[in-house]
Amino acid sequence: MTEPRKRPAYESPRDLVAPLSAPSRMPRPLATTAGAGLVLLRVMAGVLWLWSLVGDWGSVLRDTVDDIGVVSITPDVEQAALAIVVAVVGVTLVLDLTLAIFIYRGHNWPRVIVMIVSTLSISAAFLHWWTGDQDIRMSTTLLTLGLDVLVLLALSSRDAAAYARRPRR
């Protein structure tokens, strides 16, 4: 019986960006479907986070204002700040949802963008933990951190890369 060929621990960048020989009618690999599904889970986690933030907005804003040192906030300013936060997070979630759809359809550019954003998110969580600013707990960043790691694993697989970079008809 022959041993399966193992991937080396290090591959040169030239080998990693070399064109892959995948047929144009390649079936969608499980890694691509899982990656798009994990991005959708990340969107749902963002919606749940936004929902809980809106429900507790008054105390979150007061805590933030107390940390900064501002004396008081009017209800109009509180509502305006909430509207800005909801708009920014909402646009981000819609963009993430759009990227998930394009990943599922087999495009390479959204796969790369999502992997870069996941890498930056993981790095930011590590730096916040390292400097002591934030603990990694289930109630804070553990869920999103886990999803980002799983997204990276799924979308960086050889099958997902071959499917996204396959020649189109």
Side-chain angles (χ1 to χ4, degrees):
M1 191 160 97
T2 62
E3 290 289 321
R5 187 174 164 265
K6 293 183 179 180
R7 280 181 77 172
Y10 173 78
E11 296 179 67
S12 75
R14 184 183 334 218
D15 293 340
L16 292 174
V17 297
L20 300 171
S21 58
S24 62
R25 296 176 84 52
M26 176 183 182
R28 182 178 294 111
L30 181 60
T32 299
T33 304
L38 288 165
V39 173
L40 286 176
L41 283 176
R42 196 166 68 179
V43 169
M44 288 191 290
V47 168
L48 288 174
W49 176 84
L50 186 60
W51 184 268
S52 69
L53 180 69
V54 168
D56 198 26
W57 179 248
S59 65
V60 169
L61 187 61
R62 278 189 294 281
D63 290 344
T64 304
V65 166
D66 289 343
D67 289 345
I68 295 173
V70 175
V71 176
S72 68
I73 295 272
T74 65
D76 292 338
V77 172
E78 185 176 322
Q79 291 301 318
L82 177 61
I84 291 170
V85 168
V86 168
V88 169
V89 173
V91 167
T92 303
L93 292 174
V94 168
L95 286 174
D96 222 11
L97 178 65
T98 305
L99 290 172
I101 292 168
F102 280 119
I103 288 169
Y104 185 76
R105 294 187 65 198
H107 296 277
N108 193 41
W109 62 268
R111 183 182 73 88
V112 172
I113 290 172
V114 166
M115 288 192 305
I116 290 170
V117 168
S118 292
T119 302
L120 293 174
S121 175
I122 292 166
S123 300
F126 171 75
L127 287 175
H128 282 290
W129 171 81
W130 184 264
T131 59
D133 292 343
Q134 183 178 18
D135 288 337
I136 297 178
R137 292 189 216 139
M138 190 60 126
S139 62
T140 56
T141 57
L142 187 61
L143 178 63
T144 57
L145 191 60
L147 286 172
D148 283 334
V149 169
L150 291 174
V151 163
L152 271 179
L153 287 173
L155 295 181
S156 65
S157 71
R158 286 185 187 247
D159 288 341
Y163 182 71
R165 294 167 42 193
R166 74 192 185 285
R168 310 282 174 142
R169 287 187 289 138

